[in-house]
Each structure stands twice: as C-alpha cells, then as structure tokens.
Amino acid sequence: MNSASRNDLSDQGAALPTPPVSPRGIVYLGSPPEAVAPLRALVEAGHRVDLVVSAPDRRRRRRGEPTPTPVKAAALELGLKVTDDLADVESAVDEGADLGVVVAFGQLLRLPLLTRLAMVNLHFSLLPRWRGAAPVERALLAGDDRTGVAVMGVEEGLDTGPIYAEVSVPIGPEATAGELRSDLSEHGAALLVATLADGLTDPQPQVGESTYASKISGDDLLLRFGDVSAEQLGRQVRVGGAWTTIRGERLKVWEAEEVLATPPPGELHGDVVGTASGGLRLVEVQLAGRARQEAKAFLRGYRPEHGEHLGG
C-alpha cells in the first residue's frame, strides 16, 4: 500500500515525463493515515496543491454512514479540492499542475495519466528491498532491524524508479506495523519537503538485490504454534490481525509477548501458549463477534482447561 500500484504500461515505447526540478502545482494521491503527514507538510511548506485524489468514501462499520479517507478529511480541512476520480487529474494538468506525489494510493496508475503528469512516489522501504504493496509488514515479518522511506521516480516497473532521496529508520524490537507506518510517515513528510526544496535532480538508480512485498493475506497472519518460534509469532502479532482458533472459534491476538515458559506447542497453560521454540504470553485478544479485551479477562470468562489446544 505504500507505493504506486503496478502500472499498466503495455506500450513499451511510451516515454514518461521527467519530474520538474521545482513543481508549479502538485496533484497529491493518497488515502490512509500515513499519507496525511506528507500532505500537510507540503501545504505548510508553501507548495500549491491543486488537487487531492483519494479513495471513495466508505462505511467503516456495517451500519455506519460512509466516511472519507483520512487524506480526504485532511484535504477538506485544508481547503483543498478533492476527488476520487483519476480522470479529474487531466483538468488539474491543464490548469498548470506539473507533478504528482503518490503516497500509499493503492490504485492503478495507467499509461495515459503517467504520460501526462510526471510523478514521484514516497515509498516506505529502503529500495530495492521490499518493492510492492506491503513493505512495512514484510520488513516486520522478515525480522529486519532497519527500514526507511524513499522519494523515487515513478516508471514502468513496480517500484523500480530512481531514488531522489532516502532516509534509514530503525525498527524497534517491539514496534508494531502501525507505529512503524506512523514513524515512516513523519520521516517521509520531512524528506519530501526537503527533496522538493533541493530540487528534483540527479536521481540515482536502485542498487542491490530486490525483494517483493506482496499484500498480506489471512494465511500470513495465522499463528502456527507448532511450526515456528515465539519470536516469529510475535512478529506476526505486531503486524496486526494475527489469529488462531479456540474451540472452533476464531481468536485474534492483538498483543503478545515472548516468555521463557515452554508448554507443548499449541497448548494453553494459563495465558501462555507453547510454540516450536519458547512460549507466547497472550496480552490482548478478541473472540469473533466480540470486543477486544485483556487476555486475562477473556480467559477468566472463557475458562479454558489447562493444556487446551489453540489452532487446528
């Protein structure tokens, strides 16, 4: 989600415009919370943001009213023009916008648009490591101790563009994906403003072995207690949405901690589950259809037997 989506560039002869050294007007494309800080930073730095493109309003709860994305809400607060239709970018270009800034947009950017408007992307990794949709989550799952954020040019390949600037950011041992995205958003906002102030010149090609950050699936977050260590299971929990089952019901694990206790893999002893190596203490959980709660409170009410098995 932290990159421009894979571009449909079937006409390989098409030439993409070079980003201007100093943009006159900006089209900003983004939707989630981590794309808000860079937008605000651009406005505060005095850049002219002609148009903000964000995902359509949607219901966040089953019976709730449709609500705007965090980026749309921020744009309206800032008095900016907002749309969910990429076709509106054409008008912004006709009126003088000459740079697109993409931050976690998550929609396809197709050839006709890319040939009209030069674009840069604020990507949340140290490229070429973790190109693709889920760089923050993949860095956590892999146990990386550092990640970063880059201002890169948008070109034909998926996150293959040259780098204008980047900054490295450490991954703390207990950092969650949400915390890391917030941290990268703040670093990225400052980097974007500084890069535009210096001028979009002399980008450097990416160097090194590339890895692909595919979208996170439910299977990636399934806690397989008998197969992997408590350390790896903790990483899954810190990504957000990790899950197992208890008595056939889905149980999400929102917070957990590695401990020395070693029950048999998958067995629940008090609030500790055995793993392939070490124990995992449950801290906050959520049974399907219920609210999140402290694991100790859940276990008091659920009354599992000593040694009851979690998972299949």
Side-chain angles (χ1 to χ4, degrees):
M1 70 182 287
N2 294 310
S3 63
S5 299
R6 185 181 300 275
N7 303 321
D8 181 11
L9 297 173
S10 55
D11 181 1
Q12 296 300 310
L16 301 185
T18 301
V21 174
S22 299
R24 298 188 306 272
I26 291 172
V27 174
Y28 190 87
L29 303 95
S31 293
E34 56 266 32
V36 172
L39 173 61
R40 291 189 181 277
L42 287 173
V43 173
E44 291 170 3
H47 288 283
R48 194 186 86 198
V49 179
D50 294 340
L51 180 66
V52 174
V53 187
S54 197
D57 297 358
R58 67 179 181 87
R59 289 183 175 86
R60 312 294 163 178
R61 293 176 295 181
R62 183 175 300 175
R63 297 182 181 179
E65 293 295 320
T67 58
T69 68
V71 164
K72 179 178 178 179
L76 292 174
E77 178 189 328
L78 293 166
L80 302 175
K81 182 178 179 181
V82 191
T83 183
D84 58 22
D85 189 350
L86 280 168
D88 291 337
V89 175
E90 294 282 339
S91 298
V93 173
D94 292 339
E95 294 170 4
D98 56 354
L99 179 68
V101 174
V102 185
V103 185
F105 185 50
Q107 296 184 39
L108 285 172
L109 303 177
R110 298 188 181 276
L111 181 59
L113 175 60
L114 292 171
T115 54
R116 286 221 61 195
L117 182 64
M119 294 197 180
V120 295
N121 178 27
L122 197 63
H123 183 78
F124 291 176
S125 81
L126 292 174
L127 292 164
R129 187 163 178 79
W130 302 128
R131 295 171 176 169
V136 173
E137 293 83 355
R138 291 298 172 188
L140 278 179
L141 288 176
D144 293 358
D145 60 6
R146 300 195 72 81
T147 184
V149 60
V151 178
M152 59 170 286
V154 176
E155 61 174 31
E156 292 93 333
L158 176 65
D159 297 331
T160 60
I163 305 298
Y164 289 95
E166 67 178 2
V167 61
S168 177
V169 177
I171 300 177
E174 303 301 325
T176 66
E179 292 167 347
L180 189 53
R181 279 193 293 267
S182 179
D183 195 17
L184 291 170
S185 176
E186 295 296 331
H187 280 88
L191 183 68
L192 177 63
V193 169
T195 304
L196 292 179
D198 291 341
L200 292 171
T201 58
D202 301 323
Q204 300 301 306
Q206 297 181 29
V207 177
E209 182 179 357
S210 66
T211 54
Y212 177 58
S214 58
K215 185 177 179 180
I216 298 296
S217 68
D219 190 61
D220 289 315
L221 300 177
L222 173 60
L223 300 173
R224 296 178 171 87
F225 297 104
D227 296 336
V228 296
S229 67
E231 180 182 16
Q232 179 60 37
L233 293 168
R235 294 173 191 160
Q236 291 176 258
V237 171
R238 298 204 313 275
V239 165
W243 64 282
T244 182
T245 57
I246 183 168
R247 298 177 188 172
E249 295 186 275
R250 180 173 288 216
L251 181 72
K252 285 189 177 181
V253 180
W254 290 108
E255 186 178 350
E257 58 187 18
E258 186 180 354
V259 294
L260 295 177
T262 55
E267 282 194 13
L268 184 63
H269 289 194
D271 57 359
V272 175
V273 190
T275 77
S277 176
L280 192 71
R281 185 185 304 280
L282 306 180
V283 177
E284 184 180 18
V285 299
Q286 181 180 17
L287 197 65
R290 300 188 187 179
R292 291 165 61 161
Q293 63 182 140
E294 290 186 0
K296 290 184 181 295
F298 163 74
L299 294 169
R300 281 198 300 270
Y302 206 76
R303 296 181 181 178
E305 297 178 3
H306 182 77
E308 186 162 337
H309 203 274
L310 297 186

